[in-house]
């Protein structure tokens, strides 16, 4: 049962507030009327829709919820009983509240897809589209099983990307912290000895002293300026003109551009595959996939692809005419359309693009590690030379 907050008027017209438990809002109103109360406000207790939009469910919770529902539905349980069983199995408060709200809507006669649409901050358009297709086709359990596999694969792919980028980011952070510590604490103490000797210092030592002094004096201001620059860049990238210009240059980079393209096309192909195999019409699938792409150029290209398909072109030809999608994807889609196995070929294209992502990530990591080491070594070498050159000059003067 779900908890409901209510405001009601009693027989004397006084306002009454409280909470009660019920399976649905309709049942809650009936219980209030049985008590002689006229409900004026009735809402589920707990998180509001706006709060759920900000919080939502974690990817792990969503995968587990979907797997449990698919298992129970494939075992022959009705949807309401399956939700009840999953609620009893769920201990976390947020997933439990979401499931209780879904069960309450279904008990009121709503469809599962309609209940999900009332929670756009929790369930993505892809999730809702697949559930709607599963209900219309009568294969909700099978669609949920396929959706759970898709979400799990996507979570694993995201984890691989994070793991591949974590090491270079950690090395860069340590390098910045070490260099900052050397420049703001070690260098001033060591170089101060040479300043007190009143000897002529080499230009490298003087430059290092100037950089160190600026960091100590203006370090906070530099950090503030960096933060403001990041905010300004985010504001600029929110404008389509600036974002399109940045992405155009980004896609032309040798390693990074191929990685960005492979990431977006892998997501597009895998999402299209699960939508098409679940019975979603191709045009609806394209409109569902488009917001999931992180690259504005590819989103706009996919929008023109959808327009071309609507006018009667094949998907492969429409993708080919855009010129920004990988040729392997275009050829596999064309083969799938010709043989009537579009969903299968899209899955193969998604696997191929995911392998390309992993290969590009490996290349990126292999390039970044020695470059970071060289950068760190170069900075330390400059600091050591700036400190050692005055010592060498002093030794020569003594001789």
């Amino acid at each position: 049962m779900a908890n409901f907050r209510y405001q009601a008027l009693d027989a004397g017209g006084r306002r009454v507030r409280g909470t009660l438990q019920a399976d649905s809002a309709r049942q809650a109103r009936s219980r209030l009327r049985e008590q002689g109360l006229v409900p004026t406000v009735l809402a589920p207790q707990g998180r509001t829709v706006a709060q759920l939009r900000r919080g939502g469910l974690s990817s792990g919770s969503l995968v587990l919820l979907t797997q449990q529902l698919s298992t129970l539905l494939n075992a022959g349980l009705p949807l309401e009983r399956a939700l009840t069983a999953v609620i009893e199995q769920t201990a976390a408060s947020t997933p439990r509240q979401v499931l209780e709200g879904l069960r309450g809507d279904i008990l009121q006669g709503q469809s599962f897809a309609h209940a999900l649409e009332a929670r756009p901050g929790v369930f993505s358009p892809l999730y809702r589209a697949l559930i709607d297709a599963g209900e219309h086709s009568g294969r909700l359990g099978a669609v949920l099983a396929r959706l759970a596999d898709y979400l799990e694969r996507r979570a694993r792919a995201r984890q691989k990307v994070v793991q591949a980028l974590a090491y270079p980011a950690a090395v860069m952070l340590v390098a910045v912290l070490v260099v900052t510590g050397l420049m703001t604490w070690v260098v001033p103490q060591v170089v101060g000895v040479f300043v007190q000797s009143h000897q002529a210092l080499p230009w490298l030592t003087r430059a290092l002293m100037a950089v160190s002094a600026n960091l100590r004096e203006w370090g906070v201001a530099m950090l503030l300026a960096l933060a403001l620059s990041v905010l300004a860049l985010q504001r600029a990238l929110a404008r389509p003109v600036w974002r399109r210009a940045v992405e155009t240059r980004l896609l032309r980079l040798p390693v990074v551009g191929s990685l960005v393209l492979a990431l977006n096309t892998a997501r597009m192909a895998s999402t299209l595959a699960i939508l098409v195999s679940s019975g979603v019409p191709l045009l609806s699938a394209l409109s569902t996939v488009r917001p999931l792409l992180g690259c504005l150029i590819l989103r706009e290209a996919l929008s023109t692809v959808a327009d071309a398909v609507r006018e009667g072109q094949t998907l492969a030809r429409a993708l080919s005419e855009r010129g920004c999608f990988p040729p392997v994807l275009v050829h596999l889609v064309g083969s799938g359309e010709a043989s009537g196995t579009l969903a299968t070929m899209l899955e193969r294209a998604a696997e191929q693009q995911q392998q390309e992502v992993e290969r590009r990530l490996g290349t990126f990591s292999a390039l970044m590690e020695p470059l970071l080491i060289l950068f760190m070594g170069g900075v330390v070498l400059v600091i050591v030379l700036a400190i050692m050159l005055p010592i060498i000059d002093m030794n020569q003067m003594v001789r």
Side-chain angles (χ1 to χ4, degrees):
M1 290 188 178
N3 293 324
F4 290 88
R5 292 179 286 106
Y6 68 86
Q7 294 182 10
L9 300 176
D10 60 10
R14 292 185 297 271
R15 190 178 300 276
V16 180
R17 298 181 179 180
T19 61
L20 79 161
Q21 288 188 338
D23 287 329
S24 64
R26 180 182 301 176
Q27 187 181 39
R29 292 189 182 91
S30 299
R31 290 186 178 181
L32 290 174
R33 292 190 182 96
E34 290 174 358
Q35 298 173 14
L37 300 175
V38 179
T40 57
V41 177
L42 183 66
Q45 190 176 16
R47 288 188 169 191
T48 63
V49 173
Q51 290 171 325
L52 286 173
R53 186 186 300 275
R54 293 191 295 267
L57 298 176
S58 65
S59 58
S61 299
L62 188 60
V63 170
L64 180 60
L65 181 153
T66 307
Q67 289 174 340
Q68 290 173 336
L69 280 178
S70 66
T71 301
L72 293 171
L73 290 175
N74 288 326
L77 269 70
L79 179 58
E80 187 272 331
R81 287 184 58 191
L83 286 170
T84 302
V86 176
I87 289 171
E88 295 174 354
Q89 184 71 21
T90 303
S93 60
T94 299
R96 192 180 183 90
Q97 290 176 6
V98 171
L99 291 170
E100 287 175 348
L102 290 174
R103 186 184 62 176
D105 291 345
I106 290 170
L107 287 174
Q108 291 180 5
Q110 296 183 16
S111 65
F112 193 21
H114 190 270
L116 296 178
E117 288 177 1
R119 295 159 180 84
V122 183
F123 300 99
S124 65
L126 168 66
Y127 201 103
R128 302 196 300 268
L130 287 173
I131 295 301
D132 184 59
E135 285 188 311
H136 281 90
S137 63
R139 299 184 294 116
L140 183 57
V143 170
L144 279 169
R146 192 179 295 116
L147 179 58
D149 293 338
Y150 165 80
L151 293 174
E152 194 170 7
R153 289 196 306 270
R154 184 173 172 181
R156 285 199 302 265
R158 187 184 300 113
Q159 186 178 9
K160 288 181 180 179
V161 173
V162 172
Q163 289 176 349
L165 299 178
Y167 179 75
V171 172
M172 177 62 75
L173 178 62
V174 171
V176 170
L177 292 177
V178 170
V179 172
T180 303
L182 289 174
M183 296 296 293
T184 58
W185 187 69
V186 177
V187 171
Q189 292 187 0
V190 176
V191 178
V193 177
F194 306 128
V195 175
Q196 294 175 1
S197 65
H198 302 288
Q199 71 176 96
L201 298 176
W203 69 268
L204 184 60
T205 306
R206 295 196 305 270
L208 187 68
M209 292 171 60
V211 173
S212 176
N214 287 328
L215 280 177
R216 285 184 285 116
E217 186 174 357
W218 301 99
V220 177
M222 290 178 181
L223 286 176
L224 182 60
L226 179 62
L228 292 175
S229 299
V230 172
L231 290 176
L233 180 61
Q234 290 180 344
R235 291 278 185 90
L237 291 178
R239 301 176 60 184
V241 176
W242 286 92
R243 188 179 183 90
R244 194 179 298 110
V246 171
E247 288 181 353
T248 301
R249 290 168 175 79
L250 187 65
L251 290 173
R252 291 174 181 171
L253 295 178
V255 177
V256 179
S258 301
L259 179 59
V260 172
L261 181 62
L263 278 170
N264 282 271
T265 51
R267 177 178 298 179
M268 182 189 77
S270 60
T271 308
L272 274 177
I274 188 173
L275 286 166
V276 172
S277 62
S278 300
V280 178
L282 182 58
L283 287 175
S284 299
L286 290 172
S287 62
T288 302
V289 170
R290 190 169 64 86
L292 301 179
L293 300 181
C295 181
L296 176 63
I297 293 177
L298 293 181
R299 284 205 304 268
E300 293 176 344
L302 196 61
S303 178
T304 58
V305 166
D307 294 337
V309 172
R310 188 178 293 108
E311 292 173 359
Q313 282 190 10
T314 63
L315 179 59
R317 182 179 176 184
L319 291 172
S320 178
E321 289 180 353
R322 302 290 80 76
C324 57
F325 296 99
V328 174
L329 172 67
V330 175
H331 289 302
L332 287 174
V333 168
S335 176
E337 287 183 311
S339 60
T341 58
L342 179 59
T344 303
M345 290 302 171
L346 282 170
E347 289 178 359
R348 291 185 183 179
E351 293 175 1
Q352 188 274 334
Q353 288 299 301
Q354 186 59 40
Q355 292 173 359
E356 182 72 11
V357 168
E358 294 175 4
R359 189 174 67 84
R360 295 291 180 181
L361 283 174
T363 304
F364 180 77
S365 299
L367 288 175
M368 286 299 296
E369 290 176 15
L371 287 176
L372 289 174
I373 293 173
L374 287 174
F375 169 76
M376 186 65 180
V379 172
V380 173
L381 177 62
V382 170
I383 295 174
V384 171
L385 285 176
I387 294 174
M388 292 299 297
L389 285 176
I391 298 176
I392 295 173
D393 291 343
M394 289 177 66
N395 291 336
Q396 291 177 351
M397 291 175 61
V398 170
R399 292 178 182 177

